Amino acid sequence: MILLDGKIASASVKEELKSMTDALVEAGKPLPHLVAILIGNNGASETYVASKVKNCEETGFKSTLIRFEQQVDEAELLAKIESLNQDDDVDGILVQLPLPQHISEQKIIEAIHPAKDVDGFHPSSVGKLVQGLPTFVPATPYGILLMLAHFNIPTKGKHAVVIGRSNIVGRPMSILLSSNIPQGNCTVTLCHSHTPNLAELCLQADIIVAALGKPEFVTPHMVKDGAVVIDVGITRVADTTAKKGFRIKGDVHFESVAPKCSAITPVPGGVGLMTIAGLLKNTMQAYINNRG
Ligand code: GUN
């Protein structure tokens, strides 16, 4: 069984990017610049954004964190995005989701200029992804592709079952795995909350991507021998014995599923780290496209 270690795969992506930023410094050029916008103080979002900023630093990127209080006006947020769209020193703009109820996620996503849409959530980016055109691939599916590439996991002709149809992970993942790209060419089944025979479908899968956000949902009776299992779940589950009062649980019951797999991602230390690698790659690509 291969442990698909996100620390190893993301370190390799970050090394490649660091050598690119080193060359930019050497040449006296500006550095790729990611701006992250964080609204309110959702604990998980705080952690993710802090990690994104830290990884920018480690890779030699410039980063700016802009915080707004939970009650911020939608108009104020839109005005800030517009000023970042106009700012030539900004390559990528990311608004951490979820947003407070009173703000339209769709409006915010559509306000980000597609050239700076390093999350790949703008309808223009999604449309290009579907058509197989060059675009920003959402960071988590992108990170999973980078992980599969790093560990040379074959995908061509395989049956992939993706559980979860979110715009952030499941839907784009299903499109990418079915696309004619190096980590694609799968036959894909996209399962969701209304799929009646989910366990039966999973049992037919060569590759399972679990992205439904239900801790330890995937159990051994759903996994065929030799399957590749990618766990996207990162749910905080209360645990009084843990220092922080919670533990991070994946969507897969790792201990019981891992022995059946040819390869599996751990949680934490798997897909989460690759998401950041995907975001950094997109930010570098935005820099190259816009001022490289
Ligand atoms: N919330 C959970 N995942 C993501 C992501 O990839 N990007 C943003 N902006 N918000 C998220």
Side-chain angles (χ1 to χ4, degrees):
M1 190 269 290
I2 303 170
L3 185 73
L4 301 172
D5 189 333
K7 283 196 274 309
I8 295 172
S10 69
S12 132
V13 172
K14 282 165 63 182
E15 261 168 43
E16 173 200 322
L17 293 170
K18 182 71 169 65
S19 66
M20 292 169 85
T21 55
D22 285 348
L24 291 171
V25 170
E26 188 92 348
K29 298 222 170 110
L31 292 163
H33 182 192
L34 175 70
V35 175
I37 298 179
L38 176 60
I39 300 141
N41 24 33
N42 174 303
S45 292
E46 294 260 1
T47 308
Y48 303 149
V49 171
S51 184
K52 288 170 185 179
V53 168
K54 176 168 161 271
N55 276 273
C56 278
E57 274 166 27
E58 287 170 4
T59 320
F61 287 33
K62 183 174 170 186
S63 68
T64 304
L65 172 58
I66 301 176
R67 303 190 68 126
F68 288 98
E69 58 189 24
Q70 182 77 9
Q71 295 77 16
V72 64
D73 239 28
E74 187 179 88
E76 191 182 340
L77 204 51
L78 290 168
K80 175 48 85 178
I81 292 170
E82 189 43 35
S83 83
L84 295 170
N85 282 340
Q86 302 293 337
D87 185 341
D88 289 341
D89 183 49
V90 173
D91 299 292
I93 305 167
L94 171 157
V95 180
Q96 188 65 24
L97 305 177
L99 298 175
Q101 290 263 312
H102 67 281
I103 294 171
S104 157
E105 195 169 290
Q106 195 60 26
K107 260 197 207 165
I108 298 301
I109 286 171
E110 291 188 25
I112 296 170
H113 193 287
K116 301 190 179 189
D117 176 33
V118 287
D119 258 330
F121 296 161
H122 192 286
S124 152
S125 307
V126 180
K128 287 181 178 173
L129 183 91
V130 172
Q131 295 193 344
L133 300 170
T135 186
F136 297 114
V137 174
T140 300
Y142 191 12
I144 293 170
L145 297 186
L146 293 168
M147 172 85 96
L148 294 171
H150 183 87
F151 288 98
N152 288 312
I153 304 292
T155 56
K156 191 170 162 185
K158 305 290 183 192
H159 180 203
V161 169
V162 178
I163 317 173
R165 57 180 159 183
S166 71
N167 287 338
I168 294 181
V169 187
R171 175 91 51 201
M173 190 77 251
S174 70
I175 292 160
L176 289 159
L177 286 170
S178 71
S179 299
N180 187 4
I181 54 173
Q183 276 68 50
N185 289 303
C186 292
T187 303
V188 178
T189 304
L190 180 55
C191 297
H192 48 76
S193 50
H194 294 278
T195 304
N197 55 339
L198 198 142
E200 197 182 305
L201 291 165
C202 285
L203 258 184
Q204 295 168 28
D206 303 306
I207 299 169
I208 295 176
V209 179
L212 71 162
K214 284 200 179 160
E216 301 181 333
F217 178 85
V218 177
T219 50
H221 80 282
M222 300 163 74
V223 179
K224 85 171 173 191
D225 283 332
V228 173
V229 174
I230 308 293
D231 188 348
V232 184
I234 32 163
T235 307
R236 292 179 168 199
V237 176
D239 183 341
T240 48
T241 69
K243 230 192 269 166
K244 292 180 176 167
F246 64 85
R247 278 186 205 287
I248 301 291
K249 293 267 185 205
D251 287 351
V252 177
H253 192 272
F254 185 88
E255 289 74 23
S256 59
V257 169
K260 299 193 81 174
C261 297
S262 61
I264 185 168
T265 61
V267 175
V271 171
L273 299 173
M274 297 313 295
T275 294
I276 291 176
L279 173 68
L280 294 173
K281 290 264 287 184
N282 278 343
T283 305
M284 179 58 89
Q285 192 59 53
Y287 174 87
I288 292 166
N289 294 348
N290 297 334
R291 51 178 173 163

